[in-house]
Amino acid sequence: MSTAPAYRRSEPDARRLSLIEACARVLARAGIAGASVRTIAVEAGVSPGLVGHYFAGVDALIAATYAHTGARVDAALETAVAAAGDDPRARLEAFVTASFAAPIADPELLATWIAFWSLVRARPEIAALHDQQYGGFRAQLEALLADAGVARAELRPRAIELTALVDGLWLELCLSPQAFSADEAAAIARAALGRITSPDRSAG
Amino acid sequence: MSTAPAYRRSEPDARRLSLIEACARVLARAGIAGASVRTIAVEAGVSPGLVGHYFAGVDALIAATYAHTGARVDAALETAVAAAGDDPRARLEAFVTASFAAPIADPELLATWIAFWSLVRARPEIAALHDQQYGGFRAQLEALLADAGVARAELRPRAIELTALVDGLWLELCLSPQAFSADEAAAIARAALGRITSPDRSAG
DNA sequence: AACCTTGTTGGACAGTCGTACAACAAGTGA
DNA sequence: TCACTTGTTGTACGACTGTCCAACAAGGTT
């Protein structure tokens, strides 16, 4: 008589990914305080010891989760920009608007992102990932703004502004969901974008 | 022969405050992960057991620290607005600019604030404090914007936008101090404010 | 069918966590 | 000087943490 297998082997990459996704879910649900090796292992349906087999430690798993989540966001933004066609203004608007639509506006992803922020100060490797991620955001925004005809001297401050605005809206959307909706946030960001890209006729 | 006292008694309020301030310093330095009863007690120069004497638990101490920090920020903003005189535009600008000057631009306070954000999702009592704090920010901004002549229908979205922008700049100023300076952030916020309060002549 | 690699398990280990509490002592009033 | 209140200490407790590792077994090879 044959018994059912006690466990199933997975492709190493698939198992690695499932641990990363479990880590993201735990971070979203319970924050950084709840992200222990055991909690994550249970979430992934796996023995605690397996985490050590795929990652040097729990810190490395969390860092990998940040990198994976960041790449997911980058891909979603890139897709949205590409789908907007060739018009520079439309591409810029698509970049900003996509931040408030699926899959980026997902509350679970937002909460995970905030958990990463809380680690930046204490963990140098997370700080490095953060710098890289946000440097990328600003660089891409600068390029899109340049294509849309924004003056060269304005590129840097406007890119910083838009990144900060989107982040701030994102943050409050996650922390106080009843304060305003994702649609309202998107409309606010688009309005700010309109004011930035329209030639300033009230100078002086 | 008399020996030196083993400890000094403090006024209950003073001791309570010193624990709150120690908690804020620990949160800024080590994040939420490092904010244990023992760490905070050492920071305050006090025995671990004393925390339980003044607060129901470590969660209550952290919540009290959030309330205290929020009140500190409110007071600083109120002072800045009052010092700006009677001109509505100047008062509005003072509110926004004060966020990037002492004592609010303090990296320690920023880091503490981020630690609170990371707790909002998991701790209902922290979420309630957050809603109250940010509801207050937006309400005050709406009042200042109204005084400055912003159209009634625009008050809500513009207040949300300014709050988000300031928060986003604040956040990045803390997480990537080398990306831009506090002065640059203040200039960016003022420029956005100018675009918001100036009559829009490019409509249509 | 015997074998080998290695993904996977489950528990041991030292350390830290939050909480509770008995004992001590500082300061006050009598 | 004595008693009394209570701020303060230090520690014990069980539950949890991250890391480590010997043992097991799944899946492929020979």
Side-chain angles (χ1 to χ4, degrees):
Chain A
M1 126 188 232
S2 67
T3 58
Y7 59 88
R8 255 187 330 127
R9 290 196 175 195
S10 289
E11 292 276 327
D13 286 349
R15 185 67 87 188
R16 213 183 130 84
L17 186 60
S18 82
L19 283 171
I20 285 175
E21 288 172 342
C23 179
R25 284 194 300 273
V26 170
L27 284 175
R29 184 202 315 140
I32 189 62
S36 72
V37 170
R38 286 165 183 77
T39 310
I40 296 168
V42 168
E43 176 73 27
V46 130
S47 163
L50 198 58
V51 171
H53 192 263
Y54 284 99
F55 299 92
V58 73
D59 288 6
L61 170 54
I62 291 175
T65 305
Y66 192 4
H68 177 257
T69 306
R72 220 178 105 193
V73 170
D74 288 344
L77 291 175
E78 196 171 344
T79 300
V81 170
D86 289 334
D87 179 49
R89 185 67 175 69
R91 290 167 66 84
L92 190 50
E93 187 154 319
F95 185 93
V96 170
T97 303
S99 296
F100 302 101
I104 301 184
D106 175 27
E108 201 171 83
L109 187 142
L110 288 175
T112 307
W113 206 256
I114 291 176
F116 292 136
W117 284 340
S118 74
L119 293 175
V120 167
R121 286 210 107 220
R123 311 271 175 84
E125 78 273 17
I126 299 281
L129 284 172
H130 173 85
D131 288 350
Q132 182 184 335
Q133 185 76 35
Y134 277 74
F137 284 157
R138 284 189 289 263
Q140 193 164 358
L141 263 176
E142 284 196 28
L144 291 170
L145 285 166
D147 290 346
V150 169
R152 191 155 178 190
E154 294 284 300
L155 288 180
R156 176 180 154 87
R158 295 307 143 246
I160 293 174
E161 173 181 347
L162 282 173
T163 304
L165 176 60
V166 169
D167 253 17
L169 289 169
W170 232 39
L171 177 68
E172 191 64 2
L173 202 52
C174 177
L175 299 186
S176 292
Q178 79 289 347
F180 52 89
S181 69
D183 287 344
E184 198 172 3
I188 289 170
R190 270 195 302 270
L193 184 59
R195 262 177 269 124
I196 285 174
T197 54
S198 297
D200 184 9
R201 302 173 198 178
S202 61
Chain B
M1 113 196 239
S2 67
T3 58
Y7 58 87
R8 258 188 328 128
R9 290 196 173 195
S10 290
E11 292 276 326
D13 286 349
R15 185 67 89 186
R16 213 183 131 84
L17 185 60
S18 82
L19 283 171
I20 286 175
E21 288 172 343
C23 179
R25 285 194 300 274
V26 169
L27 284 174
R29 184 202 316 140
I32 189 64
S36 72
V37 170
R38 286 165 181 78
T39 311
I40 296 168
V42 168
E43 177 72 29
V46 131
S47 164
L50 198 58
V51 172
H53 191 263
Y54 283 98
F55 299 93
V58 73
D59 288 6
L61 169 53
I62 292 175
T65 305
Y66 192 2
H68 177 258
T69 306
R72 219 179 105 192
V73 170
D74 288 345
L77 291 175
E78 196 170 344
T79 300
V81 169
D86 289 334
D87 178 48
R89 184 66 174 70
R91 289 167 67 84
L92 189 50
E93 187 154 318
F95 185 93
V96 171
T97 302
S99 297
F100 303 101
I104 300 185
D106 175 25
E108 202 171 82
L109 186 142
L110 288 173
T112 308
W113 206 257
I114 291 177
F116 293 135
W117 284 341
S118 74
L119 292 176
V120 168
R121 286 209 107 222
R123 310 271 176 84
E125 79 274 16
I126 299 281
L129 285 173
H130 173 85
D131 288 351
Q132 182 184 334
Q133 184 77 36
Y134 277 74
F137 284 157
R138 284 189 289 264
Q140 193 164 358
L141 263 175
E142 283 195 30
L144 291 171
L145 285 166
D147 290 345
V150 169
R152 191 157 177 189
E154 294 284 300
L155 288 180
R156 176 179 155 87
R158 294 309 142 243
I160 294 174
E161 173 181 346
L162 282 174
T163 305
L165 176 60
V166 170
D167 253 17
L169 289 170
W170 231 40
L171 177 68
E172 191 64 2
L173 202 51
C174 177
L175 299 186
S176 292
Q178 79 290 348
F180 52 89
S181 69
D183 287 345
E184 199 171 3
I188 289 170
R190 271 195 301 270
L193 184 59
R195 265 178 268 122
I196 285 174
T197 53
S198 296
D200 184 8
R201 303 173 196 176
S202 60

